[in-house]
Short mmCIF file of all heavy atoms in Angstrom, two decimals:
data_model
loop_
_atom_site.label_atom_id
_atom_site.label_comp_id
_atom_site.label_asym_id
_atom_site.label_seq_id
_atom_site.Cartn_x
_atom_site.Cartn_y
_atom_site.Cartn_z
N MET A 1 -22.69 138.96 193.76
CA MET A 1 -22.08 139.72 192.70
C MET A 1 -20.59 139.85 193.02
O MET A 1 -20.20 140.13 194.15
CB MET A 1 -22.74 141.10 192.61
CG MET A 1 -22.04 142.04 191.69
SD MET A 1 -22.82 143.65 191.45
CE MET A 1 -22.86 144.32 193.08
N LEU A 2 -19.77 139.66 192.01
CA LEU A 2 -18.33 139.82 192.16
C LEU A 2 -17.95 141.23 191.74
O LEU A 2 -18.28 141.67 190.64
CB LEU A 2 -17.60 138.80 191.30
CG LEU A 2 -16.09 138.73 191.47
CD1 LEU A 2 -15.73 138.30 192.89
CD2 LEU A 2 -15.49 137.78 190.46
N ILE A 3 -17.27 141.95 192.62
CA ILE A 3 -16.86 143.33 192.37
C ILE A 3 -15.37 143.34 192.05
O ILE A 3 -14.59 142.64 192.71
CB ILE A 3 -17.13 144.22 193.59
CG1 ILE A 3 -18.60 144.19 193.94
CG2 ILE A 3 -16.68 145.65 193.33
CD1 ILE A 3 -18.90 144.83 195.27
N TYR A 4 -14.97 144.13 191.08
CA TYR A 4 -13.59 144.21 190.61
C TYR A 4 -13.07 145.62 190.79
O TYR A 4 -13.75 146.59 190.46
CB TYR A 4 -13.56 143.82 189.13
CG TYR A 4 -12.26 144.03 188.43
CD1 TYR A 4 -11.31 143.03 188.38
CD2 TYR A 4 -11.97 145.24 187.80
CE1 TYR A 4 -10.11 143.22 187.72
CE2 TYR A 4 -10.77 145.44 187.14
CZ TYR A 4 -9.84 144.41 187.10
OH TYR A 4 -8.66 144.60 186.44
N ARG A 5 -11.85 145.74 191.31
CA ARG A 5 -11.16 147.03 191.40
C ARG A 5 -9.74 146.84 190.89
O ARG A 5 -9.15 145.78 191.05
CB ARG A 5 -11.05 147.52 192.85
CG ARG A 5 -12.33 147.97 193.46
CD ARG A 5 -12.17 148.29 194.94
NE ARG A 5 -11.20 149.36 195.20
CZ ARG A 5 -10.66 149.58 196.39
NH1 ARG A 5 -10.95 148.82 197.42
NH2 ARG A 5 -9.80 150.57 196.55
N PHE A 6 -9.18 147.89 190.31
CA PHE A 6 -7.78 147.87 189.90
C PHE A 6 -7.06 148.99 190.63
O PHE A 6 -7.35 150.17 190.42
CB PHE A 6 -7.65 148.04 188.38
CG PHE A 6 -6.25 147.83 187.89
CD1 PHE A 6 -5.68 146.57 187.91
CD2 PHE A 6 -5.50 148.89 187.41
CE1 PHE A 6 -4.39 146.36 187.46
CE2 PHE A 6 -4.21 148.70 186.96
CZ PHE A 6 -3.64 147.43 186.98
N LEU A 7 -6.18 148.61 191.53
CA LEU A 7 -5.44 149.57 192.34
C LEU A 7 -4.15 149.94 191.63
O LEU A 7 -3.47 149.07 191.09
CB LEU A 7 -5.12 148.96 193.71
CG LEU A 7 -6.30 148.39 194.49
CD1 LEU A 7 -5.82 147.67 195.75
CD2 LEU A 7 -7.28 149.48 194.83
N THR A 8 -3.80 151.23 191.62
CA THR A 8 -2.58 151.67 190.97
C THR A 8 -1.85 152.66 191.87
O THR A 8 -2.44 153.26 192.77
CB THR A 8 -2.86 152.35 189.62
OG1 THR A 8 -3.66 153.51 189.85
CG2 THR A 8 -3.55 151.42 188.65
N GLY A 9 -0.58 152.83 191.60
CA GLY A 9 0.19 153.82 192.34
C GLY A 9 1.66 153.71 192.03
O GLY A 9 2.10 152.79 191.32
N GLU A 10 2.43 154.65 192.55
CA GLU A 10 3.88 154.59 192.41
C GLU A 10 4.40 153.37 193.15
O GLU A 10 3.78 152.89 194.10
CB GLU A 10 4.53 155.84 192.98
CG GLU A 10 4.36 157.06 192.12
CD GLU A 10 5.15 158.25 192.67
OE1 GLU A 10 6.10 158.06 193.46
OE2 GLU A 10 4.79 159.37 192.31
N ASP A 11 5.56 152.89 192.73
CA ASP A 11 6.19 151.75 193.38
C ASP A 11 6.81 152.22 194.70
O ASP A 11 8.01 152.51 194.77
CB ASP A 11 7.24 151.14 192.46
CG ASP A 11 7.94 149.96 193.08
OD1 ASP A 11 7.36 149.35 194.00
OD2 ASP A 11 9.07 149.64 192.66
N ASP A 12 5.99 152.32 195.72
CA ASP A 12 6.46 152.75 197.03
C ASP A 12 5.62 152.09 198.11
O ASP A 12 4.71 151.30 197.82
CB ASP A 12 6.42 154.28 197.16
CG ASP A 12 5.03 154.87 196.95
OD1 ASP A 12 4.03 154.12 196.99
OD2 ASP A 12 4.94 156.09 196.75
N SER A 13 5.92 152.40 199.36
CA SER A 13 5.20 151.76 200.46
C SER A 13 3.73 152.16 200.48
O SER A 13 2.89 151.39 200.96
CB SER A 13 5.86 152.09 201.80
OG SER A 13 5.79 153.47 202.07
N LEU A 14 3.37 153.33 199.96
CA LEU A 14 1.96 153.73 199.93
C LEU A 14 1.13 152.77 199.08
O LEU A 14 -0.01 152.45 199.43
CB LEU A 14 1.81 155.16 199.41
CG LEU A 14 2.36 156.26 200.32
CD1 LEU A 14 2.21 157.63 199.64
CD2 LEU A 14 1.65 156.25 201.66
N PHE A 15 1.70 152.32 197.97
CA PHE A 15 0.99 151.35 197.12
C PHE A 15 0.81 150.04 197.89
O PHE A 15 -0.28 149.45 197.88
CB PHE A 15 1.72 151.11 195.81
CG PHE A 15 1.05 150.06 194.98
CD1 PHE A 15 -0.13 150.34 194.31
CD2 PHE A 15 1.58 148.78 194.88
CE1 PHE A 15 -0.77 149.36 193.55
CE2 PHE A 15 0.94 147.81 194.13
CZ PHE A 15 -0.23 148.10 193.47
N CYS A 16 1.86 149.58 198.56
CA CYS A 16 1.76 148.34 199.35
C CYS A 16 0.70 148.48 200.43
O CYS A 16 -0.08 147.55 200.67
CB CYS A 16 3.11 148.00 199.95
SG CYS A 16 4.37 147.61 198.72
N HIS A 17 0.64 149.63 201.09
CA HIS A 17 -0.38 149.86 202.11
C HIS A 17 -1.78 149.87 201.49
O HIS A 17 -2.74 149.38 202.11
CB HIS A 17 -0.12 151.18 202.85
CG HIS A 17 1.00 151.09 203.84
ND1 HIS A 17 0.86 150.50 205.07
CD2 HIS A 17 2.29 151.50 203.75
CE1 HIS A 17 2.00 150.56 205.72
NE2 HIS A 17 2.90 151.16 204.94
N LYS A 18 -1.92 150.42 200.29
CA LYS A 18 -3.22 150.45 199.60
C LYS A 18 -3.73 149.03 199.36
O LYS A 18 -4.89 148.70 199.61
CB LYS A 18 -3.09 151.20 198.28
CG LYS A 18 -4.40 151.38 197.53
CD LYS A 18 -4.20 151.99 196.15
CE LYS A 18 -3.76 153.40 196.19
NZ LYS A 18 -3.76 154.05 194.86
N VAL A 19 -2.83 148.16 198.88
CA VAL A 19 -3.21 146.77 198.61
C VAL A 19 -3.49 146.05 199.93
O VAL A 19 -4.49 145.33 200.06
CB VAL A 19 -2.12 146.04 197.80
CG1 VAL A 19 -2.44 144.56 197.66
CG2 VAL A 19 -1.96 146.68 196.43
N THR A 20 -2.65 146.25 200.93
CA THR A 20 -2.84 145.61 202.23
C THR A 20 -4.17 146.04 202.86
O THR A 20 -4.90 145.21 203.43
CB THR A 20 -1.67 145.95 203.18
OG1 THR A 20 -0.47 145.48 202.57
CG2 THR A 20 -1.85 145.31 204.53
N LYS A 21 -4.52 147.31 202.75
CA LYS A 21 -5.80 147.80 203.28
C LYS A 21 -6.97 147.11 202.58
O LYS A 21 -7.93 146.67 203.22
CB LYS A 21 -5.91 149.31 203.11
CG LYS A 21 -7.19 149.90 203.69
CD LYS A 21 -7.19 151.42 203.58
CE LYS A 21 -8.36 152.06 204.27
NZ LYS A 21 -9.62 151.88 203.59
N ALA A 22 -6.89 146.99 201.25
CA ALA A 22 -7.95 146.31 200.50
C ALA A 22 -8.08 144.85 200.97
O ALA A 22 -9.19 144.35 201.17
CB ALA A 22 -7.67 146.37 199.00
N LEU A 23 -6.96 144.18 201.17
CA LEU A 23 -7.00 142.79 201.63
C LEU A 23 -7.63 142.70 203.03
O LEU A 23 -8.41 141.79 203.31
CB LEU A 23 -5.60 142.19 201.64
CG LEU A 23 -4.94 142.04 200.27
CD1 LEU A 23 -3.50 141.57 200.42
CD2 LEU A 23 -5.72 141.10 199.37
N SER A 24 -7.32 143.66 203.89
CA SER A 24 -7.89 143.65 205.24
C SER A 24 -9.39 143.93 205.24
O SER A 24 -10.07 143.62 206.21
CB SER A 24 -7.16 144.66 206.13
OG SER A 24 -7.55 145.99 205.82
N GLU A 25 -9.89 144.51 204.16
CA GLU A 25 -11.32 144.81 204.03
C GLU A 25 -12.08 143.70 203.30
O GLU A 25 -13.24 143.87 202.94
CB GLU A 25 -11.51 146.13 203.28
CG GLU A 25 -11.00 147.33 204.05
CD GLU A 25 -10.98 148.61 203.23
OE1 GLU A 25 -11.07 148.54 201.98
OE2 GLU A 25 -10.87 149.68 203.84
N GLY A 26 -11.41 142.58 203.05
CA GLY A 26 -12.09 141.44 202.44
C GLY A 26 -11.87 141.28 200.94
O GLY A 26 -12.41 140.35 200.34
N TRP A 27 -11.12 142.17 200.31
CA TRP A 27 -10.80 142.02 198.89
C TRP A 27 -9.75 140.92 198.75
O TRP A 27 -8.95 140.68 199.66
CB TRP A 27 -10.27 143.34 198.32
CG TRP A 27 -11.27 144.43 198.34
CD1 TRP A 27 -11.55 145.28 199.37
CD2 TRP A 27 -12.16 144.80 197.28
NE1 TRP A 27 -12.55 146.16 199.02
CE2 TRP A 27 -12.96 145.88 197.74
CE3 TRP A 27 -12.38 144.32 195.99
CZ2 TRP A 27 -13.92 146.48 196.95
CZ3 TRP A 27 -13.34 144.92 195.21
CH2 TRP A 27 -14.11 145.99 195.68
N GLN A 28 -9.76 140.25 197.60
CA GLN A 28 -8.79 139.19 197.32
C GLN A 28 -8.00 139.56 196.07
O GLN A 28 -8.55 140.16 195.13
CB GLN A 28 -9.49 137.86 197.12
CG GLN A 28 -10.18 137.37 198.37
CD GLN A 28 -10.79 136.00 198.16
OE1 GLN A 28 -11.06 135.58 197.04
NE2 GLN A 28 -11.01 135.29 199.25
N LEU A 29 -6.72 139.17 196.07
CA LEU A 29 -5.90 139.42 194.89
C LEU A 29 -6.49 138.68 193.70
O LEU A 29 -6.97 137.56 193.81
CB LEU A 29 -4.47 138.94 195.13
CG LEU A 29 -3.71 139.62 196.26
CD1 LEU A 29 -2.34 138.97 196.42
CD2 LEU A 29 -3.57 141.11 196.02
N HIS A 30 -6.45 139.31 192.55
CA HIS A 30 -6.95 138.72 191.31
C HIS A 30 -5.86 138.87 190.25
O HIS A 30 -5.58 139.96 189.77
CB HIS A 30 -8.23 139.42 190.86
CG HIS A 30 -8.80 138.86 189.60
ND1 HIS A 30 -9.54 137.71 189.59
CD2 HIS A 30 -8.71 139.28 188.33
CE1 HIS A 30 -9.90 137.46 188.34
NE2 HIS A 30 -9.41 138.39 187.56
N GLY A 31 -5.23 137.77 189.90
CA GLY A 31 -4.17 137.82 188.90
C GLY A 31 -2.87 138.36 189.47
O GLY A 31 -2.73 138.61 190.66
N SER A 32 -1.92 138.53 188.58
CA SER A 32 -0.59 139.00 188.96
C SER A 32 -0.54 140.52 188.97
O SER A 32 -1.27 141.17 188.24
CB SER A 32 0.44 138.48 187.96
OG SER A 32 0.45 137.08 187.95
N PRO A 33 0.36 141.08 189.77
CA PRO A 33 0.54 142.54 189.75
C PRO A 33 1.21 142.97 188.45
O PRO A 33 1.84 142.17 187.76
CB PRO A 33 1.45 142.80 190.95
CG PRO A 33 2.16 141.52 191.19
CD PRO A 33 1.23 140.43 190.74
N THR A 34 1.04 144.24 188.11
CA THR A 34 1.70 144.79 186.92
C THR A 34 2.72 145.82 187.38
O THR A 34 2.63 146.37 188.49
CB THR A 34 0.70 145.46 185.97
OG1 THR A 34 0.04 146.51 186.67
CG2 THR A 34 -0.32 144.47 185.47
N TYR A 35 3.67 146.08 186.51
CA TYR A 35 4.77 146.97 186.87
C TYR A 35 5.23 147.63 185.58
O TYR A 35 5.53 146.95 184.60
CB TYR A 35 5.87 146.09 187.45
CG TYR A 35 6.92 146.77 188.28
CD1 TYR A 35 6.60 147.50 189.41
CD2 TYR A 35 8.26 146.63 187.94
CE1 TYR A 35 7.58 148.09 190.18
CE2 TYR A 35 9.25 147.22 188.72
CZ TYR A 35 8.90 147.94 189.83
OH TYR A 35 9.87 148.51 190.60
N ALA A 36 5.25 148.95 185.54
CA ALA A 36 5.63 149.65 184.31
C ALA A 36 6.33 150.97 184.63
O ALA A 36 6.09 151.58 185.68
CB ALA A 36 4.39 149.93 183.46
N PHE A 37 7.16 151.41 183.72
CA PHE A 37 7.87 152.67 183.88
C PHE A 37 7.02 153.80 183.29
O PHE A 37 6.55 153.72 182.16
CB PHE A 37 9.22 152.60 183.16
CG PHE A 37 10.03 153.86 183.28
CD1 PHE A 37 10.59 154.23 184.49
CD2 PHE A 37 10.23 154.68 182.19
CE1 PHE A 37 11.35 155.38 184.61
CE2 PHE A 37 10.98 155.85 182.29
CZ PHE A 37 11.54 156.19 183.51
N ASP A 38 6.82 154.85 184.07
CA ASP A 38 6.10 156.04 183.62
C ASP A 38 7.14 157.04 183.11
O ASP A 38 7.88 157.64 183.89
CB ASP A 38 5.30 156.63 184.78
CG ASP A 38 4.47 157.84 184.40
OD1 ASP A 38 4.77 158.49 183.37
OD2 ASP A 38 3.52 158.14 185.14
N ALA A 39 7.21 157.20 181.81
CA ALA A 39 8.24 158.05 181.19
C ALA A 39 8.05 159.53 181.54
O ALA A 39 9.02 160.29 181.54
CB ALA A 39 8.24 157.86 179.68
N VAL A 40 6.84 159.93 181.82
CA VAL A 40 6.57 161.33 182.15
C VAL A 40 7.14 161.68 183.52
O VAL A 40 7.83 162.68 183.69
CB VAL A 40 5.06 161.64 182.09
CG1 VAL A 40 4.77 163.04 182.57
CG2 VAL A 40 4.54 161.44 180.67
N THR A 41 6.85 160.84 184.52
CA THR A 41 7.31 161.11 185.88
C THR A 41 8.66 160.48 186.18
O THR A 41 9.24 160.75 187.24
CB THR A 41 6.29 160.60 186.92
OG1 THR A 41 6.20 159.16 186.80
CG2 THR A 41 4.93 161.24 186.73
N LYS A 42 9.13 159.62 185.28
CA LYS A 42 10.40 158.90 185.46
C LYS A 42 10.38 158.00 186.69
O LYS A 42 11.39 157.82 187.36
CB LYS A 42 11.59 159.87 185.56
CG LYS A 42 11.68 160.87 184.44
CD LYS A 42 12.23 160.24 183.19
CE LYS A 42 12.61 161.29 182.16
NZ LYS A 42 11.83 161.28 180.99
N LYS A 43 9.21 157.43 186.98
CA LYS A 43 9.05 156.54 188.14
C LYS A 43 8.36 155.25 187.72
O LYS A 43 7.63 155.22 186.72
CB LYS A 43 8.23 157.22 189.23
CG LYS A 43 8.90 158.45 189.81
CD LYS A 43 8.07 159.07 190.90
CE LYS A 43 8.80 160.29 191.45
NZ LYS A 43 8.06 160.93 192.52
N MET A 44 8.57 154.21 188.50
CA MET A 44 7.89 152.94 188.27
C MET A 44 6.49 153.02 188.86
O MET A 44 6.26 153.63 189.90
CB MET A 44 8.67 151.78 188.89
CG MET A 44 10.02 151.53 188.26
SD MET A 44 9.97 151.17 186.50
CE MET A 44 9.14 149.60 186.45
N ARG A 45 5.52 152.41 188.17
CA ARG A 45 4.12 152.37 188.61
C ARG A 45 3.72 150.91 188.79
O ARG A 45 4.15 150.04 188.02
CB ARG A 45 3.21 153.01 187.57
CG ARG A 45 3.57 154.43 187.18
CD ARG A 45 3.01 155.50 188.04
NE ARG A 45 1.55 155.41 188.13
CZ ARG A 45 0.86 156.06 189.04
NH1 ARG A 45 1.46 156.84 189.90
NH2 ARG A 45 -0.44 155.95 189.09
N CYS A 46 2.88 150.66 189.78
CA CYS A 46 2.38 149.32 190.07
C CYS A 46 0.87 149.28 189.88
O CYS A 46 0.20 150.30 190.02
CB CYS A 46 2.68 148.94 191.51
SG CYS A 46 4.42 148.88 191.92
N GLY A 47 0.37 148.10 189.62
CA GLY A 47 -1.06 147.88 189.55
C GLY A 47 -1.41 146.49 190.06
O GLY A 47 -0.62 145.56 189.87
N GLN A 48 -2.54 146.37 190.72
CA GLN A 48 -3.00 145.07 191.22
C GLN A 48 -4.51 145.04 191.19
O GLN A 48 -5.17 145.92 191.73
CB GLN A 48 -2.51 144.83 192.65
CG GLN A 48 -3.03 143.56 193.28
CD GLN A 48 -2.55 142.31 192.57
OE1 GLN A 48 -1.35 142.08 192.46
NE2 GLN A 48 -3.47 141.49 192.08
N ALA A 49 -5.05 144.01 190.55
CA ALA A 49 -6.50 143.81 190.54
C ALA A 49 -6.90 143.08 191.82
O ALA A 49 -6.18 142.21 192.31
CB ALA A 49 -6.91 143.00 189.32
N VAL A 50 -8.05 143.47 192.36
CA VAL A 50 -8.63 142.81 193.53
C VAL A 50 -10.12 142.61 193.29
O VAL A 50 -10.75 143.37 192.54
CB VAL A 50 -8.40 143.62 194.84
CG1 VAL A 50 -6.93 143.65 195.22
CG2 VAL A 50 -8.94 145.03 194.74
N THR A 51 -10.68 141.58 193.90
CA THR A 51 -12.11 141.30 193.78
C THR A 51 -12.68 141.01 195.16
O THR A 51 -11.96 140.67 196.10
CB THR A 51 -12.38 140.08 192.87
OG1 THR A 51 -11.74 138.94 193.41
CG2 THR A 51 -11.91 140.33 191.45
N ARG A 52 -14.00 141.16 195.25
CA ARG A 52 -14.72 140.84 196.49
C ARG A 52 -16.15 140.48 196.13
O ARG A 52 -16.74 141.06 195.21
CB ARG A 52 -14.70 142.04 197.44
CG ARG A 52 -15.40 141.77 198.76
CD ARG A 52 -15.19 142.85 199.77
NE ARG A 52 -15.92 144.05 199.35
CZ ARG A 52 -15.85 145.21 200.00
NH1 ARG A 52 -15.07 145.35 201.04
NH2 ARG A 52 -16.55 146.23 199.58
N VAL A 53 -16.72 139.56 196.87
CA VAL A 53 -18.12 139.19 196.67
C VAL A 53 -18.99 140.10 197.52
O VAL A 53 -18.74 140.27 198.72
CB VAL A 53 -18.37 137.71 197.04
CG1 VAL A 53 -19.86 137.39 196.97
CG2 VAL A 53 -17.57 136.79 196.13
N ALA A 54 -19.98 140.72 196.89
CA ALA A 54 -20.96 141.55 197.59
C ALA A 54 -22.31 140.84 197.48
O ALA A 54 -22.93 140.82 196.43
CB ALA A 54 -21.04 142.94 196.98
N LYS A 55 -22.72 140.24 198.57
CA LYS A 55 -23.95 139.46 198.57
C LYS A 55 -25.17 140.36 198.67
O LYS A 55 -25.16 141.38 199.36
CB LYS A 55 -23.95 138.47 199.73
CG LYS A 55 -22.85 137.43 199.60
CD LYS A 55 -22.87 136.47 200.74
CE LYS A 55 -21.74 135.47 200.56
NZ LYS A 55 -21.69 134.48 201.61
N ASP A 56 -26.22 139.94 197.98
CA ASP A 56 -27.54 140.58 198.09
C ASP A 56 -27.52 142.07 197.76
O ASP A 56 -28.26 142.86 198.35
CB ASP A 56 -28.13 140.37 199.48
CG ASP A 56 -28.25 138.90 199.83
OD1 ASP A 56 -28.57 138.11 198.92
OD2 ASP A 56 -28.00 138.54 200.99
N GLN A 57 -26.66 142.49 196.85
CA GLN A 57 -26.64 143.88 196.44
C GLN A 57 -26.67 143.95 194.91
O GLN A 57 -25.83 143.36 194.25
CB GLN A 57 -25.37 144.58 196.93
CG GLN A 57 -25.30 144.75 198.42
CD GLN A 57 -24.14 145.63 198.81
OE1 GLN A 57 -23.87 146.64 198.18
NE2 GLN A 57 -23.44 145.25 199.86
N PRO A 58 -27.61 144.65 194.35
CA PRO A 58 -27.62 144.82 192.90
C PRO A 58 -26.52 145.80 192.48
O PRO A 58 -26.10 146.66 193.26
CB PRO A 58 -29.00 145.41 192.61
CG PRO A 58 -29.37 146.12 193.87
CD PRO A 58 -28.73 145.33 194.99
N TYR A 59 -26.06 145.65 191.27
CA TYR A 59 -25.03 146.56 190.76
C TYR A 59 -25.62 147.95 190.58
O TYR A 59 -26.70 148.13 190.05
CB TYR A 59 -24.47 146.05 189.44
CG TYR A 59 -23.46 146.99 188.84
CD1 TYR A 59 -22.24 147.21 189.46
CD2 TYR A 59 -23.75 147.70 187.68
CE1 TYR A 59 -21.31 148.07 188.93
CE2 TYR A 59 -22.82 148.58 187.14
CZ TYR A 59 -21.61 148.76 187.78
OH TYR A 59 -20.70 149.63 187.24
N ASP A 60 -24.89 148.95 191.04
CA ASP A 60 -25.29 150.35 190.90
C ASP A 60 -24.07 151.12 190.40
O ASP A 60 -23.12 151.33 191.16
CB ASP A 60 -25.76 150.89 192.25
CG ASP A 60 -26.17 152.36 192.19
OD1 ASP A 60 -26.02 152.99 191.13
OD2 ASP A 60 -26.63 152.87 193.22
N PRO A 61 -24.06 151.55 189.13
CA PRO A 61 -22.88 152.23 188.58
C PRO A 61 -22.58 153.58 189.24
O PRO A 61 -21.48 154.08 189.10
CB PRO A 61 -23.22 152.42 187.10
CG PRO A 61 -24.69 152.38 187.03
CD PRO A 61 -25.13 151.46 188.15
N ASP A 62 -23.52 154.12 189.98
CA ASP A 62 -23.28 155.40 190.67
C ASP A 62 -22.67 155.20 192.06
O ASP A 62 -22.25 156.18 192.68
CB ASP A 62 -24.59 156.18 190.80
CG ASP A 62 -25.14 156.59 189.44
OD1 ASP A 62 -24.31 156.91 188.55
OD2 ASP A 62 -26.36 156.59 189.28
N LYS A 63 -22.60 153.98 192.52
CA LYS A 63 -22.06 153.68 193.84
C LYS A 63 -20.56 153.42 193.73
O LYS A 63 -20.11 152.73 192.81
CB LYS A 63 -22.77 152.45 194.39
CG LYS A 63 -22.52 152.15 195.83
CD LYS A 63 -23.42 150.99 196.26
CE LYS A 63 -23.30 150.73 197.72
NZ LYS A 63 -24.16 149.62 198.14
N LYS A 64 -19.77 153.96 194.66
CA LYS A 64 -18.35 153.69 194.67
C LYS A 64 -18.13 152.22 194.99
O LYS A 64 -18.82 151.65 195.85
CB LYS A 64 -17.65 154.54 195.72
CG LYS A 64 -17.62 156.01 195.38
CD LYS A 64 -16.88 156.78 196.46
CE LYS A 64 -16.85 158.25 196.13
NZ LYS A 64 -16.11 159.02 197.14
N LEU A 65 -17.17 151.60 194.31
CA LEU A 65 -16.93 150.18 194.51
C LEU A 65 -16.55 149.85 195.94
O LEU A 65 -16.89 148.79 196.46
CB LEU A 65 -15.83 149.69 193.55
CG LEU A 65 -16.21 149.73 192.07
CD1 LEU A 65 -15.03 149.31 191.22
CD2 LEU A 65 -17.41 148.84 191.80
N ILE A 66 -15.88 150.75 196.61
CA ILE A 66 -15.49 150.50 198.00
C ILE A 66 -16.70 150.47 198.93
O ILE A 66 -16.63 149.94 200.03
CB ILE A 66 -14.45 151.56 198.46
CG1 ILE A 66 -13.73 151.06 199.70
CG2 ILE A 66 -15.09 152.90 198.67
CD1 ILE A 66 -12.45 151.77 200.00
N ASP A 67 -17.85 151.00 198.49
CA ASP A 67 -19.05 151.04 199.31
C ASP A 67 -19.91 149.79 199.19
O ASP A 67 -20.93 149.68 199.87
CB ASP A 67 -19.89 152.27 198.97
CG ASP A 67 -19.20 153.57 199.37
OD1 ASP A 67 -18.36 153.54 200.30
OD2 ASP A 67 -19.47 154.60 198.73
N PHE A 68 -19.54 148.86 198.31
CA PHE A 68 -20.33 147.62 198.20
C PHE A 68 -20.03 146.70 199.35
O PHE A 68 -18.97 146.65 199.89
CB PHE A 68 -20.02 146.90 196.88
CG PHE A 68 -20.80 147.44 195.73
CD1 PHE A 68 -20.24 148.37 194.88
CD2 PHE A 68 -22.09 147.01 195.48
CE1 PHE A 68 -20.95 148.87 193.80
CE2 PHE A 68 -22.81 147.51 194.39
CZ PHE A 68 -22.23 148.44 193.56
#
């Protein structure tokens, strides 16, 4: 089963660490990153989709994606 997550955060080092942590846990980048201005907070926001294969596990909508 292919699992999909979309990581988001402010454009700062914490977002980069979030993506790097996901990659170190076996997630792979999926598509291009996104970048948008948040008019409410007046800050730039980033997003990056990641995927990972979870073998021999049925999908469970109550399970956190990071736990697959």
Side-chain angles (χ1 to χ4, degrees):
M1 171 176 59
L2 187 64
I3 302 169
Y4 172 91
R5 289 174 61 197
F6 188 69
L7 307 173
T8 62
E10 285 186 21
D11 180 23
D12 58 16
S13 64
L14 292 177
F15 176 74
C16 295
H17 284 282
K18 184 186 291 189
V19 174
T20 301
K21 182 176 186 287
L23 295 174
S24 75
E25 294 171 344
W27 295 86
Q28 295 184 338
L29 298 177
H30 180 80
S32 299
T34 60
Y35 199 58
F37 181 70
D38 182 339
V40 174
T41 64
K42 307 283 192 247
K43 296 181 180 181
M44 294 302 293
R45 305 274 304 166
C46 298
Q48 175 64 59
V50 293
T51 59
R52 181 170 70 185
V53 174
K55 296 180 180 181
D56 303 322
Q57 292 189 42
Y59 177 67
D60 179 356
D62 295 324
K63 191 174 185 180
K64 291 182 180 181
L65 294 176
I66 198 163
D67 292 334
F68 277 97

